[in-house]
Amino acid sequence: MKIDVVIGLQYGDEGKGKVCHSLLKDGLYTHAIRFNGGGNAGHTIYHNGKKLITHLIPSGVFFGVKSIIGPGCVVDTHNFFKELKYLEENGIKTEGLVFIAKNAHLVQEIHIDEDGHDTSIGTTKTGNGPCYRDKYARKGLRAEDYDKLKPYLIDVYEEFYQQDNSNFKILAEGAQAFGLDIDWGDYPYVTSSHCGVGSVLNNGFNHKHINKVYGIIKAYETYVGAKKFQPEEEIFEKIQQEGQEFGATTGRKRQCNWIDWDLILKASRMNGVHRIVMNKVDILNKVQAWKIKHNGKTLEFNSESEFVLWVKKELSKEDVRVSFSYTPHDFDVGD
Ligand code: IMP
Ligand code: MG
């Protein structure tokens, strides 16, 4: 049994959905699993030329791969059923493919109500934080406590250890990102779950299963939430527009900034990233500006090739490979 992991190294919305979709397309995986977060995530996926947005269900479902919402996730059942219907209506077969770990926690009405009143963090108002709080306070409800979910329940131990797993190849799809991680992000402007490789292990897997770790970044940074993130410079308005940077879950404008290279190094080192995929390189071409913040300075490049070369060189020092990806083209897994 082997697990490839896809995680975000910035503040979410790096294009993890796109990379997962590309990786799954080749038919190499037997399972896809989400290991953190819930309906706060928004994966934008172009499937057969059609734009689809999912929040909870792993992208395995687009290719007939068993798709599991893991025990580290929180599930709003109303939205779960809504998403199943949405996928079916868009021609994606879900029957017999979508499962929820029986020990995943349920987002309840009271969680959504409470989160709806948040003004300080700028949450997605999906009940995520209050649900995790109640989980850790040992007051939560789990998927196995709700009769309507019976047909979808799965036991991670039975599925992955109590049958021949020698040919299992799993894609673990992360949600949110290092900069939003409850422990490593910019607290309190974070989400309520762990967004790194450690989180995969807590979903019932062990370190021997981890194969490749893909760290996803964008050619610039975006963040949605209450803190001030975007500098007062017109260029970021342009990037926001060219990149169509609006939240997939809430529709909010994403604030933009240059890449924070120190954050990427930290995230990549702490998660043992093998390969970085940089998305939306084309957007910087549209605004004809290429900059990276590093060691308290802002580095400037004259062209895409200079920019790309610098990134390649710096990452090779880290023994990390890198792929560059352009909208809307598919990411090339390469090697
Ligand atoms: P929560 O996860 O809804 O509690 O929101 C906490 C913070 O994480 C807010 O700043 C959200 O905008 C941000 N956030 C949560 N999920 C995502 C995501 O999938 N992409 C980008 N930002 C997110
Ligand atoms: Mg997103």
Side-chain angles (χ1 to χ4, degrees):
M1 177 156 75
K2 282 190 169 162
I3 309 181
D4 290 339
V5 182
V6 172
I7 52 174
L9 304 186
Q10 295 166 318
Y11 297 93
D13 308 314
E14 302 93 348
K16 296 179 288 293
K18 176 181 179 176
V19 174
C20 288
H21 187 267
S22 285
L23 288 169
L24 283 154
K25 201 172 47 200
D26 295 334
L28 299 172
Y29 294 97
T30 55
H31 299 76
I33 186 164
R34 269 277 306 272
F35 55 88
N36 74 303
N40 51 351
H43 281 177
T44 307
I45 281 159
Y46 287 84
H47 188 69
N48 298 333
K50 203 172 187 178
K51 179 177 171 178
L52 297 171
I53 295 176
T54 57
H55 300 283
L56 202 53
I57 298 174
S59 348
V61 75
F62 290 99
F63 301 100
V65 170
K66 213 168 187 177
S67 293
I68 300 169
I69 298 165
C73 297
V74 293
V75 183
D76 172 346
T77 51
H78 174 75
N79 282 340
F80 170 71
F81 286 112
K82 202 167 122 188
E83 194 159 303
L84 280 180
K85 192 161 166 262
Y86 166 81
L87 288 169
E88 287 286 349
E89 281 169 1
N90 282 286
I92 311 297
K93 183 185 165 302
T94 65
E95 220 188 307
L97 288 177
V98 178
F99 297 89
I100 303 175
K102 64 182 195 185
N103 47 345
H105 274 249
L106 296 178
V107 177
Q108 301 168 49
E109 279 305 322
I110 46 164
H111 298 145
I112 299 168
D113 282 351
E114 184 184 335
D115 204 15
H117 293 101
D118 158 80
T119 49
S120 56
I121 306 299
T123 73
T124 58
K125 305 200 188 312
T126 49
N128 194 72
C131 180
Y132 277 112
R133 180 200 57 213
D134 282 354
K135 164 178 166 167
Y136 286 100
R138 291 147 298 167
K139 293 192 294 197
L141 286 175
R142 309 208 289 189
E144 64 188 344
D145 298 323
Y146 188 51
D147 279 350
K148 261 181 93 179
L149 290 180
K150 273 237 162 67
Y152 303 95
L153 295 182
I154 199 165
D155 181 307
V156 166
Y157 185 62
E158 278 173 18
E159 178 70 14
F160 293 105
Y161 299 89
Q162 294 194 305
Q163 53 179 339
D164 178 11
N165 65 11
S166 50
N167 291 321
F168 283 3
K169 183 119 197 250
I170 305 158
L171 183 67
E173 304 185 15
Q176 292 84 46
F178 188 80
L180 293 172
D181 183 276
I182 182 76
D183 286 328
W184 297 104
D186 187 15
Y187 192 89
Y189 299 103
V190 294
T191 190
S192 298
S193 68
H194 299 277
C195 312
V197 174
S199 196
V200 177
L201 305 190
N202 283 331
N203 275 251
F205 302 95
N206 71 58
H207 63 100
K208 293 181 192 166
H209 300 135
I210 304 289
N211 184 45
K212 262 202 173 163
V213 179
Y214 294 90
I216 317 307
I217 65 177
K218 223 160 25 182
Y220 47 93
E221 261 173 18
T222 62
Y223 158 83
V224 256
K227 75 174 169 187
K228 169 97 176 126
F229 184 81
Q230 181 170 312
E232 297 289 337
E233 288 169 45
E234 213 194 312
I235 184 82
F236 298 114
E237 295 287 332
K238 279 195 197 151
I239 292 177
Q240 196 272 333
Q241 282 160 25
E242 291 292 349
Q244 279 299 297
E245 296 295 349
F246 294 97
T249 301
T250 59
R252 292 178 290 176
K253 253 191 190 181
R254 295 173 182 149
Q255 300 187 60
C256 301
N257 205 333
W258 304 118
I259 286 183
D260 175 352
W261 193 252
D262 305 307
L263 177 73
I264 287 168
L265 285 181
K266 185 173 173 184
S268 164
R269 289 169 180 171
M270 291 184 113
N271 286 285
V273 167
H274 297 100
R275 173 178 288 270
I276 282 182
V277 180
M278 182 191 277
N279 280 315
K280 288 190 151 176
V281 178
D282 51 305
I283 305 302
L284 296 187
N285 284 340
K286 291 210 172 126
V287 300
Q288 288 287 301
W290 300 266
K291 296 190 192 183
I292 290 179
K293 292 184 292 171
H294 182 33
N295 279 337
K297 293 194 194 103
T298 304
L299 311 176
E300 264 191 81
F301 307 91
N302 292 316
S303 65
E304 180 189 316
S305 52
E306 254 188 35
F307 171 79
V308 160
L309 207 68
W310 187 89
V311 169
K312 267 191 192 159
K313 202 175 110 218
E314 291 302 309
L315 288 177
S316 77
K317 292 184 205 161
E318 299 286 318
D319 202 20
V320 172
R321 287 159 177 265
V322 55
S323 306
F324 298 92
S325 163
Y326 299 74
T327 9
H329 307 296
D330 269 343
F331 144 72
D332 176 17
V333 185
D335 218 346

